Amino acid sequence: MVRFIYASLLAVAFSQLSHAATNNTINSQLRLAYAGNTGMYVSWNTFEKLDNPTVHYGLVPNDLNMTASSKVSVTYPTSLTYNNHVKITGLKPDTLYYYLPEHLLHMQSHCPYNFTTSRPAGQPEAFSVAVVVDLGTMGAQGLTTYAGTGVSVNNTLSPGEINTIQSLEKSKSGFDFVWHPGDIAYADYWLKEEIQGFLSNTTTAEGFHVYESILNDFYDEMTPITAFKPYMVGPGNHEANCDNGGTTDKAKNITYDVSICIPGQTNFTGYRNHFRMPSAESGGTGNFWYSFNHGMTHFVQVDTETDLGHGFTAPDEPGGVEGEDSGPFNTTLDAQTKWLEADLAGVNRTETPWVIVAGHRPWYLSHANASGTICWTCKDVFEPLYIKYGVDLVLSGHAHVYERQNPLANGIIDPAGLNNPKSPWYITNGAAGHYDGLDALQYPLQDYSRFGLDTLNKTYGWSRLTFHNYTHLTHEFVASKSGEVLDEATLYGEVHQM
Ligand SMILES: *[C@@H]1O[C@H](CO)[C@@H](O)[C@H](O)[C@H]1NC(C)=O
Ligand SMILES: *[C@@H]1O[C@H](CO)[C@@H](O)[C@H](O)[C@H]1NC(C)=O
Ligand SMILES: *[C@@H]1O[C@H](CO)[C@@H](O)[C@H](O)[C@H]1NC(C)=O
Ligand SMILES: *[C@@H]1O[C@H](CO)[C@@H](O)[C@H](O)[C@H]1NC(C)=O
Ligand SMILES: *[C@@H]1O[C@H](CO)[C@@H](O)[C@H](O)[C@H]1NC(C)=O
Ligand SMILES: *[C@@H]1O[C@H](CO)[C@@H](O)[C@H](O)[C@H]1NC(C)=O
Ligand SMILES: *[C@@H]1O[C@H](CO)[C@@H](O)[C@H](O)[C@H]1NC(C)=O
Ligand SMILES: *[C@@H]1O[C@H](CO)[C@@H](O)[C@H](O)[C@H]1NC(C)=O
Ligand SMILES: *[C@@H]1O[C@H](CO)[C@@H](O)[C@H](O)[C@H]1NC(C)=O
Ligand SMILES: *[C@@H]1O[C@H](CO)[C@@H](O)[C@H](O)[C@H]1NC(C)=O
Ligand SMILES: *[C@@H]1O[C@H](CO)[C@@H](O)[C@H](O)[C@H]1NC(C)=O
Ligand SMILES: *[C@@H]1O[C@H](CO)[C@@H](O)[C@H](O)[C@H]1NC(C)=O
């Protein structure tokens, strides 16, 4: 192992900076993910393929005396970058490390970067997590103060309004990691943005360029957060969407062929290239389903988009309701639910009394059933396991609204409410924000609904989960524009701790 002094690394980095300064398209898209509590995935993008992606790291900032490398520098046709992935192993749990990817062209003021490994299972200290679903690119290629024709005035930002990415950045010292269960960047909206006259500098023939440029914007916008806090993701339909949210240009009377499906948005290709989630560490499958422990909590990501098994065609599979023609990703019969059952059955509730599951699509929601918003087949395959194994909280998005429900099972409201319920608690928060904003809840709200926000409230936001101790968990809806908590509820839970 070569001993690497930070000063020499800095010299290399500065020579790259002069190059970078002349090339404003350079980006890094630096992002982390837990790889067990003694490991960390470090991922970043470069314009060129790296033979040997390498990360220098250490316990003190001026002596990054260890290295980890891989051979993983991957791309796909039409992508503008390579995705580099290095897994660092042999780390101490709950420990702060400094790190810097070699060959990283992008320079910024926080150098070297730092991360903290995950808390060992059972550690009883309080911590918080940030959850966003349906978060798109902000700025000139996404959500901003204006939009194209057809977008509700209630869904654009006010001048100077703090968006969800900025709000997360301001709050990042207050959470351990960001969890994003699907709909990441909304780059697939490139055609919709063109058709609606929002992007006027592009052509459909160059669609891949626009798509990749929106993706690059998003991951760069997230870097001030994801270079320091693990970014745990799950699949959403917009990682595979090929209808671009509308394919008819009414003004020009053109209906585009749905086959304007460029490689990155086909079959989760961009998503599969971009991330490395800890499925190897948890027996899951790719970036689609996996679990990890962190302190008092067992976190589970499930896939509502493909691989539901049990004879169902999942929403994004060929013939599914979304028509995305994607997946499946595991050919073992009922692979996902078999894994989920074994995973939930294997949780040591003495160590990790809290079990939280996230999947992109909801089934308990005050929302019209149109166009697959409610996933009844997801309910069929997942809910029985959530009930059987005492899952405490189920998170989702997909509908661009916020709604907190009473704990419930099989549609029946748990009479205990949040005071030690036997049934899982459900919260949908798809209000993070993207190009065309928020949706409407369907009134009257469902009997089990306890609080809702929709497009009428003109408020983007994210969820903060705080695990106080083995019995108390608080969920807050944080309004991005003000940092104000618009809804707060605490679950007292003891019965699930077997
Ligand atoms: C920026 O640098 C990359 C990698 O060296 C190169 O491929 C790209 O063409 C450059 N772009 C500009 C605008 O100079
Ligand atoms: C790196 O430095 C740390 C102290 O900062 C030391 O504990 C560790 O043994 C060193 N590791 C190597 C491989 O030199
Ligand atoms: C880690 O990086 C963050 C973001 O730049 C910085 O605020 C923090 O001070 C760093 N932590 C340490 C211990 O250096
Ligand atoms: C199109 O315009 C947007 C917004 O000004 C800009 O961010 C983007 O880079 C441009 N795309 C191309 C392909 O020039
Ligand atoms: C749109 O185009 C179709 C043929 O492509 C034509 O039949 C129809 O009349 C056109 N509609 C309008 C409003 O021009
Ligand atoms: C498919 O699922 C099985 C059972 O959970 C697992 O052993 C296998 O590794 C998975 N396959 C892939 C390709 O991830
Ligand atoms: C999507 O990719 C997976 C993994 O490579 C493959 O097994 C599956 O057949 C692909 N689905 C489609 C519809 O091409
Ligand atoms: C569960 O965790 C507790 C606390 O760490 C430990 O004492 C116990 O042996 C574990 N149970 C099993 C079945 O591993
Ligand atoms: C959606 O449809 C299901 C079954 O078709 C029904 O039970 C449910 O009440 C409907 N939900 C809404 C919000 O209309
Ligand atoms: C925008 O919100 C206001 C209430 O805040 C509502 O009266 C109006 O109908 C909404 N407009 C649209 C297009 O949803
Ligand atoms: C959300 O908007 C609705 C409709 O305007 C209003 O009745 C409700 O009070 C608003 N909720 C909050 C928390 O502001
Ligand atoms: C757990 O945290 C809650 C909320 O802070 C607090 O009210 C309760 O007393 C704590 N319980 C224990 C056993 O510390």
Side-chain angles (χ1 to χ4, degrees):
M1 196 176 296
V2 179
R3 187 173 165 85
F4 205 96
I5 302 297
Y6 175 57
S8 63
L9 192 57
L10 204 60
V12 172
F14 277 134
S15 73
Q16 288 168 346
L17 178 62
S18 56
H19 174 63
T22 63
N23 186 335
N24 58 17
T25 65
I26 279 173
N27 59 68
S28 72
Q29 311 183 22
L30 195 50
R31 57 209 178 273
L32 302 163
Y34 292 130
N37 60 26
T38 58
M40 191 69 79
Y41 287 102
V42 179
S43 302
W44 74 102
N45 286 44
T46 48
F47 290 109
E48 279 149 31
K49 185 176 173 68
L50 302 183
D51 290 335
N52 195 27
T54 298
V55 177
H56 297 266
Y57 65 99
L59 290 163
V60 290
N62 59 357
D63 186 10
L64 304 181
N65 63 351
M66 294 172 274
T67 59
S69 300
S70 79
K71 293 284 175 204
V72 186
S73 186
V74 291
T75 193
Y76 50 88
T78 76
S79 174
L80 306 176
T81 61
Y82 286 82
N83 301 268
N84 306 294
H85 302 286
V86 171
K87 180 172 156 180
I88 307 179
T89 57
L91 302 172
K92 296 176 200 160
D94 197 21
T95 300
L96 186 132
Y97 287 86
Y98 296 88
Y99 77 102
L100 195 58
E102 202 174 305
H103 304 110
L104 182 60
L105 297 173
H106 174 89
M107 284 295 295
Q108 47 122 329
S109 54
H110 314 288
C111 198
Y113 303 94
N114 63 63
F115 61 67
T116 300
T117 46
S118 75
R119 298 165 186 269
Q123 188 199 74
E125 283 165 29
F127 68 91
S128 297
V129 170
V131 185
V132 283
V133 199
D134 307 316
L135 176 64
T137 302
M138 301 291 149
Q141 300 199 97
L143 179 62
T144 184
T145 51
Y146 55 92
T149 40
V151 175
S152 165
V153 290
N154 291 340
N155 289 354
T156 55
L157 297 174
S158 304
E161 180 174 335
I162 294 167
N163 65 46
T164 295
I165 295 179
Q166 292 165 329
S167 176
L168 287 171
E169 188 183 350
K170 281 165 72 109
S171 307
K172 78 178 171 191
S173 63
F175 53 76
D176 285 3
F177 67 91
V178 178
W179 198 1
H180 189 163
D183 285 7
I184 301 167
Y186 285 81
D188 61 303
Y189 265 23
W190 66 271
L191 181 58
K192 184 179 193 174
E193 292 180 3
E194 285 186 5
I195 289 171
Q196 297 190 341
F198 176 66
L199 293 182
S200 53
N201 56 347
T202 55
T203 66
T204 49
E206 288 276 283
F208 73 90
H209 217 282
V210 189
Y211 174 84
E212 296 293 339
S213 137
I214 296 174
L215 271 191
N216 289 340
D217 267 9
F218 177 79
Y219 292 114
D220 280 340
E221 289 170 3
M222 290 295 281
T223 295
I225 306 157
T226 58
F228 300 92
K229 302 290 176 179
Y231 184 40
M232 310 307 289
V233 296
N237 52 302
H238 287 277
E239 279 67 73
N241 196 321
C242 289
D243 68 9
N244 305 297
T247 52
T248 303
D249 185 338
K250 291 203 182 81
K252 293 186 197 147
N253 193 21
I254 299 171
T255 296
Y256 293 102
D257 192 320
V258 180
S259 69
I260 305 183
C261 191
I262 54 190
Q265 65 193 92
T266 304
N267 200 12
F268 293 92
T269 297
Y271 177 72
R272 284 191 281 154
N273 270 265
H274 219 79
F275 294 102
R276 288 297 177 271
M277 289 297 119
S279 47
E281 289 76 4
S282 57
T285 291
N287 300 328
F288 294 91
W289 57 90
Y290 62 87
S291 66
F292 58 102
N293 290 325
H294 184 77
M296 301 171 267
T297 310
H298 183 70
F299 293 94
V300 184
Q301 173 69 54
V302 298
D303 173 12
T304 58
E305 304 308 303
T306 68
D307 297 88
L308 293 180
H310 304 273
F312 292 119
T313 300
D316 297 351
E317 283 176 356
V321 53
E322 300 276 357
E324 313 295 18
D325 212 16
S326 296
F329 294 101
N330 196 310
T331 50
T332 305
L333 184 69
D334 303 334
Q336 184 176 196
T337 53
K338 276 185 191 154
W339 169 84
L340 179 62
E341 175 142 31
D343 183 81
L344 293 174
V347 177
N348 182 337
R349 299 302 277 263
T350 308
E351 274 189 332
T352 54
W354 296 110
V355 176
I356 316 296
V357 180
H360 184 64
R361 284 168 205 257
W363 51 85
Y364 291 127
L365 197 70
S366 304
H367 196 280
N369 281 338
S371 63
T373 298
I374 304 293
C375 185
W376 297 110
T377 47
C378 300
K379 178 180 188 296
D380 289 341
V381 303
F382 294 127
E383 189 185 30
L385 297 174
Y386 296 172
I387 295 170
K388 181 174 176 188
Y389 294 100
V391 167
D392 295 291
L393 172 62
V394 181
L395 299 168
S396 62
H398 191 58
H400 303 150
V401 297
Y402 168 66
E403 194 171 45
R404 170 170 59 83
Q405 323 298 6
N406 195 89
L408 76 168
N410 299 314
I412 296 164
I413 295 172
D414 192 310
L418 293 173
N419 187 16
N420 208 17
K422 292 188 177 61
S423 317
W425 187 21
Y426 285 83
I427 294 172
T428 295
N429 186 356
H434 70 291
Y435 168 68
D436 62 7
L438 296 163
D439 296 339
L441 285 164
Q442 184 173 305
Y443 293 90
L445 301 181
Q446 298 276 3
D447 289 349
Y448 51 70
S449 174
R450 292 294 170 267
F451 188 91
L453 293 168
D454 72 0
T455 179
L456 295 179
N457 299 99
K458 305 180 191 174
T459 302
Y460 293 106
W462 50 282
S463 286
R464 182 164 48 219
L465 291 178
T466 301
F467 299 86
H468 301 282
N469 49 40
Y470 281 14
T471 52
H472 288 72
L473 158 61
T474 297
H475 174 274
E476 295 167 300
F477 178 91
V478 182
S480 300
K481 61 184 167 192
S482 60
E484 201 184 338
V485 173
L486 298 187
D487 181 43
E488 175 178 345
T490 296
L491 174 65
Y492 164 67
E494 204 138 35
V495 288
H496 298 154
Q497 296 163 27
M498 308 154 195

